[in-house]
Amino acid sequence: MGSLPAAAPPGPAAAAGALDFSTAGQLTVIGVCALTAYLAHLALAVFNDGVRPFLLDFLQGRTTRSATGAVSFGLSAGFIFGLGAPMALSSGVLNPWLVFLPTDLLGLLAPRKWLAPVLGGAWGAVVVFGLKGANEVAHELPVDFLTAMQRMATPILFLFTLFPVLAISKQFGRLPGAVAGVVEFALVVVTMKLWPKVFAGAPAMAAGVLLLIGFAVARDLRQRRRERVQAADERAETAPRRAEAADGRAGAAEGRAKAADERPAGPDEDPMVSLFSASAARLRRHLPLFMALGAGVCLLAQLHIFGGGEAASFLIAKGRTAEAAQVDFYRAFGFLPLIATTALASGAYGIAGFTFVYPLGYLLPSPWWALVCGALVFAAEVLALSGIGRVLGGLPSVRDSSEQLRGAIGATLQLALLFGSLLAAQAMGGGLGILLVGGLYLLNEAMGRVVVRTAAGPAAVVVGGVLLNVLYWLDLFTPLTS
């Protein structure tokens, strides 16, 4: 058997935003898109966490395929065109909003099983061939807004570092949040001074996440100690009454036995437990498909043409795969409980699983290793899903921490993308560029957020860049000289 083509070296092509993929990269994108569309058609996996709960109604026949597809379009369109495409064009690295959200939609809308992978593969071809042409055309414009959009990288990378601080502040209060903020700031300064080649936010994020976990564990331990003390007090208070009740237990047991014989038969299992068990069993029955999916997604990450998030995309574009792996590893903890619970409730898994295949793929040295390790990771995740659900049920502070992490990630990225979008606007059009991009963002807010807030900034840069080119052709604007 021949070997897979070696992965293209990370950095140069991506950093230039060339979107010039090797043959191995093109085939991988097309194949993964075909597989993800097929899984979405079967309602086995989707990427959009908001769509997954609606799949239970679809599986049980309470809604139609077209209605479910309409929900997917409504929840995904803004991210595809407002975030996924601009981020890919500016960084030169693909992302899940551009690759997986459209295959969710195409798979759900496909009326036939065989048509779903065909449509998904076609979308993959559009991504690998169409984006390159769009990228080349955009760079030839008088106002090169794609190059200007690379200004978003610095705000995204450094503001993203603060998400553990926000999560700690919201869950544990101002003082722990202030302590975490001071620790992260000190680590950023020290890293920039002593290790200038290392992304300064990586050690800071590690410390912040460890502090968050430490605070959560400490709270759980204190709660358990309080519960043990309370239980001991209750036992001491009820000891005299237990002695009196002992004499009547024999007669009561005889009465319960008689009542049990007369009780009508029926299930006594919690309906949610039954639903979770059925969903986990459904996913296990399709384990080979999920192993293929894990192999494909891990290979996509290993080729360094794909980033699991905004920060990781720019880090991969700069060739900093180790830092990208660290960023996406911490990010995964914010979404693990959500993915696990929605998968158990709906019977549909996440396209990227718990997303641990992203950092694993970035670090693996060989495409073959990516295929094997990705398949094994997905197999372990699917088989352990029921156990993970039970563990999360007994860790309230950990569940709360994950919720806070997810909210903090969204808040930091919204600010970073808005600030980065204004920097890009200034680079491509000065004050007029800021007026256009900022005005479009505010107009979107006033109109009830037609485009979701996270995607509004990058979308405004693209629209603003097009408008500046129109003004240039009308001889009403002179592009800035670098």
Side-chain angles (χ1 to χ4, degrees):
M1 180 181 292
S3 61
L4 283 176
L19 289 167
D20 189 10
F21 306 119
S22 65
T23 301
Q26 293 170 353
L27 294 176
T28 300
V29 172
I30 293 172
V32 169
C33 286
L35 178 58
T36 54
Y38 181 68
L39 288 168
H41 177 85
L42 298 177
L44 282 172
V46 290
F47 180 77
N48 195 319
D49 296 318
V51 174
R52 200 171 302 120
F54 291 92
L55 294 182
L56 181 62
D57 287 338
F58 171 67
L59 289 171
Q60 295 179 349
R62 292 194 296 267
T63 188
T64 63
R65 182 174 292 280
S66 59
T68 308
V71 170
S72 176
F73 179 82
L75 294 174
S76 304
F79 287 101
I80 296 170
F81 301 108
L83 185 61
M87 287 293 297
L89 288 169
S90 60
S91 67
V93 176
L94 299 179
N95 56 70
W97 306 286
L98 181 65
V99 177
F100 297 144
L101 288 181
T103 58
D104 283 359
L105 178 61
L106 294 171
L108 289 171
L109 290 178
R112 296 287 183 272
K113 187 183 297 187
W114 63 267
L115 185 58
V118 173
L119 294 175
W123 174 253
V126 169
V127 168
V128 295
F129 298 115
L131 279 183
K132 180 182 178 182
N135 184 50
E136 292 173 350
V137 170
H139 280 300
E140 295 298 324
L141 294 174
V143 180
D144 185 357
F145 56 87
L146 293 185
T147 298
M149 288 183 71
Q150 294 176 7
R151 301 289 183 95
M152 294 191 299
T154 299
I156 289 173
L157 291 175
F158 280 90
L159 287 176
F160 188 74
T161 302
L162 294 174
F163 76 85
V165 177
L166 267 67
I168 291 171
S169 300
K170 290 182 178 179
Q171 186 172 3
F172 300 104
R174 297 175 183 176
L175 181 59
V179 170
V182 170
V183 169
E184 285 208 9
F185 178 76
L187 282 172
V188 168
V189 172
V190 169
T191 303
M192 294 178 72
K193 180 67 176 178
L194 300 180
W195 305 287
K197 293 184 179 181
V198 175
F199 170 50
M205 272 186 286
V209 172
L210 289 175
L211 283 172
L212 177 64
I213 295 173
F215 288 137
V217 170
R219 173 176 285 184
D220 280 341
L221 290 176
R222 288 195 299 269
Q223 180 62 28
R224 290 181 181 179
R225 282 196 296 268
R226 285 194 295 267
E227 291 174 353
R228 285 196 297 267
V229 171
Q230 184 179 359
D233 293 341
E234 291 176 353
R235 285 195 299 270
E237 292 175 0
T238 58
R241 291 194 295 271
R242 286 200 303 269
E244 297 176 1
D247 295 335
R249 277 200 292 266
E254 182 179 354
R256 284 197 300 270
K258 182 177 180 182
D261 293 337
E262 298 174 355
R263 185 184 304 127
D268 57 358
E269 188 177 26
D270 185 343
M272 290 305 296
V273 173
S274 177
L275 174 62
F276 282 14
S277 299
S279 297
R282 178 177 187 261
L283 296 177
R284 288 195 297 268
R285 286 197 300 271
H286 295 88
L287 189 61
L289 278 176
F290 285 112
M291 293 178 69
L293 176 63
V297 175
C298 195
L299 176 60
L300 195 63
Q302 194 277 334
L303 293 174
H304 301 148
I305 60 174
F306 176 91
E310 301 88 340
S313 293
F314 282 111
L315 286 169
I316 290 172
K318 297 174 183 293
R320 296 184 168 185
T321 53
E323 288 94 336
Q326 188 173 353
V327 167
D328 274 356
F329 179 75
Y330 298 137
R331 185 186 183 122
F333 287 102
F335 292 88
L336 189 152
L338 175 67
I339 294 170
T341 53
T342 54
L344 289 170
S346 66
Y349 200 41
I351 286 295
F354 293 141
T355 71
F356 289 116
V357 288
Y358 292 162
L360 180 66
Y362 303 153
L363 298 176
L364 288 173
S366 162
W368 287 114
W369 276 107
L371 290 172
V372 173
C373 293
L376 292 177
V377 167
F378 257 54
E381 290 180 2
V382 172
L383 293 174
L385 196 57
S386 295
I388 292 171
R390 288 193 295 271
V391 170
L392 290 174
L395 296 173
S397 293
V398 173
R399 292 200 311 271
D400 291 344
S401 296
S402 295
E403 291 288 338
Q404 297 298 343
L405 274 178
R406 193 164 64 251
I409 288 171
T412 53
L413 287 176
Q414 284 178 9
L415 177 61
L417 287 168
L418 175 59
F419 186 61
S421 297
L422 292 175
L423 288 179
Q426 183 182 35
M428 68 184 184
L432 182 59
I434 292 176
L435 175 65
L436 281 173
V437 172
L440 288 169
Y441 183 90
L442 293 174
L443 180 62
N444 182 67
E445 290 285 310
M447 295 175 63
R449 296 176 192 161
V450 179
V451 179
V452 292
R453 182 177 283 172
T454 303
V461 174
V462 174
V463 175
V466 172
L467 291 175
L468 287 175
N469 278 288
V470 172
L471 290 176
Y472 168 81
W473 290 323
L474 295 175
D475 200 21
L476 296 175
F477 173 72
T478 301
L480 300 179
T481 57
S482 58

